[in-house]
Amino acid sequence: MRLYLASTSPARLQTLRSAGVEPIAAPPGVDEEAVVAAREAETGPLAAREMVQLLAQAKAEALVGAEPGGEPIDGLILGGDSAFLTGGSIHGKPHLPEVARQRWLAQNGGHGELWSGHWLIDHRGGRVNGAVGRADVATVRFAALDEAEIDAYIATGEPLLVAGAFTIDSLGGPFIRRVEGDPSTVVGLSLSTLRDLVRELGVAWPSLWNRGDSVG
């Protein structure tokens, strides 16, 4: 059983690989700001749960009809998205050092919620047979950093391209005191949630194992 990942996120890719799954990854090409703006124009402001689920679905659906690697999709398509909720505000990727620094000064020694949305399309046989999705959340509690640590971390560039301006599986790991919930949610993909969705589509989780170093 093949899993197609509608994402180029290194963290999501490594999380799947560590769980024995080597997906076929492809960029979904979704204008996230435009998708959110269009929905909010219809329904009003979105909660973090709603936003990540909307974007996860948009990314997965963007691969329907695509041919990553030059072959039609025959398997499961996974879309995911993440956002960090703290202080009543939703934060995506900061992109700019000054934005990342501002966020770290605000969340330093505190906590927030990392929301990850998942959308899984059953595309076996080259057609859409159904889809399921769910958003999951993990509470992240931060250590108290001094400003020199914050500046050094931002200077690495790592915080600029991740929701919440931190990672748990790389340089940012020592700055996380505790995670309440599935730890893999914090890297943008809850493995336990994904397993539930795979089973909802009638697929056995072990059928996705295709990495020899993990299953052999």
Side-chain angles (χ1 to χ4, degrees):
M1 178 64 63
R2 266 299 188 183
L3 180 68
Y4 297 81
L5 178 63
S7 172
T8 56
S9 163
R12 290 192 183 99
L13 182 59
Q14 186 55 48
T15 298
L16 288 168
R17 285 174 169 170
S18 297
V21 181
E22 182 67 46
I24 296 176
V30 171
D31 185 337
E32 299 182 23
E33 291 186 2
V35 170
V36 171
R39 178 60 61 85
E40 290 189 331
E42 296 176 359
T43 65
L46 297 174
R49 174 198 290 269
E50 297 168 328
M51 186 183 76
V52 297
Q53 196 59 13
L54 170 68
L55 291 175
Q57 181 174 350
K59 292 175 183 179
E61 291 178 345
L63 284 197
V64 173
E67 295 187 358
E71 297 182 357
I73 291 177
D74 184 3
L76 306 179
I77 303 173
L78 173 63
D81 190 73
S82 298
F84 191 60
L85 178 64
T86 184
S89 298
I90 301 173
H91 299 296
K93 302 169 184 176
H95 296 293
L96 299 175
E98 56 269 28
V99 176
R101 190 175 196 276
Q102 183 181 37
R103 292 186 186 175
W104 260 103
L105 290 175
Q107 68 197 24
N108 193 24
H111 69 279
E113 294 179 344
L114 198 296
W115 283 93
S116 286
H118 311 75
W119 193 259
L120 191 66
I121 298 174
D122 181 348
H123 205 275
R124 287 175 286 181
R127 63 181 183 277
V128 175
N129 303 295
V132 290
R134 196 172 87 200
D136 202 4
V137 63
T139 298
V140 181
R141 300 191 181 277
F142 298 101
L145 280 60
D146 58 44
E147 291 198 31
E149 286 180 306
I150 292 175
D151 290 339
Y153 183 40
I154 292 170
T156 69
E158 180 179 276
L160 306 186
L161 298 177
V162 287
F166 69 92
T167 66
I168 190 175
D169 56 339
S170 190
L171 298 177
F175 306 144
I176 308 301
R177 296 194 63 183
R178 189 165 70 252
V179 173
E180 298 161 9
D182 183 344
S184 61
T185 302
V186 183
V187 298
L189 171 61
S190 168
L191 289 172
S192 60
T193 296
L194 177 58
R195 173 182 172 271
D196 289 344
L197 297 177
V198 167
R199 288 163 58 86
E200 283 184 40
L201 292 178
V203 177
W205 174 256
S207 70
L208 295 178
W209 291 339
N210 61 351
R211 283 181 62 82
D213 57 348
S214 298
V215 301

